[in-house]
Amino acid sequence: MDTIASLLIGEVGIITEDALDNIPLKLLEMGCLPGAEVVILQIAPLKDPLYICVNGSHLAIRKEMAAQIRVVKSE
Amino acid sequence: MEKARPIKVALIGNPNTGKTSLFNQLTGLTQKVGNYPGVTVDKKEGTCKLPNGTAATIIDLPGTYSINPTSIDESIVLKSLLNTDDNNHPDVIVLVADIENLKRNLLLFSQVKDLEIPIVLAINMADQQERKGIFIDLKTLEKELQTEVVLMSARKHEGITEVKEAIERAAQVEKGHPLCSINHKIDADYFKLLKEVSPNHTLYELWLMITQNNYPNQLTEEEKIKLQEFRQDLSKLKRYQHKETIHRYQQINDILKRTYRVDQAKAKNLRGRLDRVFTHKIFGYVIFFGILLLIFQSIFDWSSAPMDFIDGAFASLSDFVKEQMSPGVLTDLITDGIIPGIGGVVIFIPQIAILFLFVAILEETGYMSRVVFLMDKIMRKFGMSGKSVIPLISGTACAIPAVMATRTIAGWKERLITILVTPFTTCSARLPVYAILISLVIPNKKLFGFFSLQGFVLLCLYVLGFATAIISAYLLHKTLKVKNTSFFVAEMPNYKLPSLKNVFFDVLEKTKAFVFGAGKIILAISIVLWFLASNGPSSFDTVEKNIVENTQNNALSADEMQHKIASAKLQNSYIGIMGKAIEPAIKPLGYDWKIGIALISSFAAREVFVGTLATIYSVESGDEDTSTIKERMRAEVNPDTGEKRFNLAVGMSLLIFYAFAMQCMGTLAVVKRETKSWKWPLFQLFGMGALAYVAAFITYTIFS
């Protein structure tokens, strides 16, 4: 199963509906909603955190959390 | 009828939306900010005149993404909105949104709107509209949101009058309308029961009270108990909050679909290109350390001329006052206590201002967020967050604002560790102590022919401070048993050119707060010190008589007599007794009772050290000579050895002591406030004090 953490730079994923329980409220509020597209823009030099763009928001999140949010890779 | 009191207008918005720019445009120089020690600086306030002549108080609340708080800053916003008797509770809200991130900004808008307080939506950075290919249907948006919407640009001073007019109109409205009906989409029965608890509050207010466990005073006991029953099933609350957020976004998406379009082709990707440079795995760090180097260089290079000027100005002021006033205790207090004391604070203004200037520019441009991104993994190894970098850098100016800058760190353990170690970074109050001790004990030689040895020692002390902060953070990380809800989401704002006005106000405000905060303490200490040195228990009054009687047979000159009396008086004064009392404890570090007095007084604020020694040595010499404090310290002799009092061992021991000891009441007060407990400031006081003692003892032993 893919998660945000398993995406490569430039890859696009769509957050799955069943990921909802694992997304903290704060991230939901920042636009990280089921059905939203996530793109990895950068990965920090030490491989963590990840710099993502989701639903128009540019955010840095830690890998630990990104690994809990399931996505479907989009072509 | 005119309203007697000015209407209260709160500015609310996501971070980086230009809220502060709008605040500066509306209030100009009328803003006031609280001082640090003891006083809350939770908010900025200013006044503004509306076009119809009504006065308005503008309150700038901290930036927040929602009113479900995860950090201290955000909980301030919740508190002021929910408690109608809170000082900040607004009559009108201006929600500041950024045209590029309208969707996310509208989430906060929809929450605030549901509180039914009259509201205006100000969409900032509207001047970028065309360049970014954004189209907004303002009329439809206003209708859908049932709110007046103003397009503006705070930086270009466009739309400010329109915002004021909209505030005026909103103030006429009794009550706003809710936007999202949270009830039926989630659980109609549940929300029906909730609404029945109190007719005086909107449904969303009641919902916030239970989800945030925050019950305002105006609630009756009965209502409070009923509300608390809704908290039985916390997982249900959490599920409903999730549903609520999704529901809100659905509604916002619907509205935006009809009113907002972005032409992607026009959106330029400068951000991406800059990010590739600033967060590059090698260049990213090179640039960051380059900037740090530049900051430290400028703090010392640019500030030396104005600092010398201030130093000279205060010395001549002291001389001038001495000439104008008749000699006496009051003159002594003013010329030897108060003026040098104030001068000791004012002299730091250049350094503090330069540091805050850099920090403000880095924040304004959006670069700081990239530093957070770069440093997070490294800082986490030491139990901190990427967001801890900013407090640690600001700590080189003053630990007080630095401790307050930890508020953006969401994880409690990460925040606590950052607060605890920040006072180790070399703040500007240590500089005068370092400067005078280094010039006394370190020879003015060149290393390798060009490197100043004195400068090198100073650099080592800075490195020592940072290293101690990092190492102690690591130890705390491994030992502290604190529940951590580590949570890290950092927004990466778009790059911007800094606005001169914002930077100016930021530097002005922080410098002012430092000067008045530290100034009050130093003034108080100068007076107390002067009192303690010129008064004493009963034996103090007979000192003069005894000396005169006992030395009648010796042929002493008038000067020698005067010196002997002054010296004996100091020993018998309150402060002399205190110094003598702690002498056994500090003897192993190489200090005598006079240095002991300086140690005691500088526990309140380090920079007092130099001033105290100046007072003690000049009280003791009892004459009117105007030799500088450095000359007096150099001339001081250790009676046991006949050597100089400030030799290499004592000097180094003092340097190390001042590097580690927690000697700042202002910081202790702010830590107490930020951690809401005495435990942590006391832990710092004793922990850092013990470390300072042991390290100074080892240093003294090595060098003597």
Side-chain angles (χ1 to χ4, degrees), chain B residues 538-555:
Chain B
S538 53
S539 62
F540 182 79
D541 302 324
T542 54
V543 162
E544 189 162 353
K545 215 176 87 206
N546 287 346
I547 298 253
V548 174
E549 280 169 9
N550 290 342
T551 53
Q552 253 168 3
N553 301 330
N554 308 354

Side-chain angles (χ1 to χ4, degrees), chain A residues 17 20-34 41-52 54-65, chain B residues 65-66 68 70 74 101 103-104 107 111 241-242 245-246 249 271 275-276 279-281 285 370 373-374 376-378 380 384-386 414 486-492:
Chain A
E17 290 296 327
L20 185 56
D21 292 339
N22 293 325
I23 308 176
L25 181 61
K26 186 93 221 166
L27 262 189
L28 274 181
E29 289 175 342
M30 304 285 274
C32 223
L33 305 162
L41 297 178
Q42 291 275 329
I43 297 172
L46 299 167
K47 309 264 182 269
D48 189 12
L50 312 174
Y51 177 2
I52 63 171
V54 57
N55 219 342
S57 289
H58 294 76
L59 309 173
I61 60 172
R62 287 180 184 166
K63 219 170 178 173
E64 192 188 351
M65 192 197 292
Chain B
Y65 292 104
S66 81
N68 301 315
T70 47
E74 294 180 343
N101 293 311
K103 196 194 283 176
R104 202 188 55 221
L107 177 81
Q111 293 178 326
Q241 276 187 299
H242 278 57
T245 307
I246 291 174
Y249 264 120
R271 175 210 289 260
D275 272 338
R276 270 195 288 283
T279 64
H280 188 272
K281 58 182 169 219
Y285 293 109
R370 275 67 188 181
F373 179 66
L374 273 183
D376 184 61
K377 186 76 188 280
I378 301 173
R380 228 184 305 163
M384 293 185 279
S385 147
E414 295 173 344
S486 171
F487 197 84
F488 180 85
V489 177
E491 199 199 351
M492 306 289 269

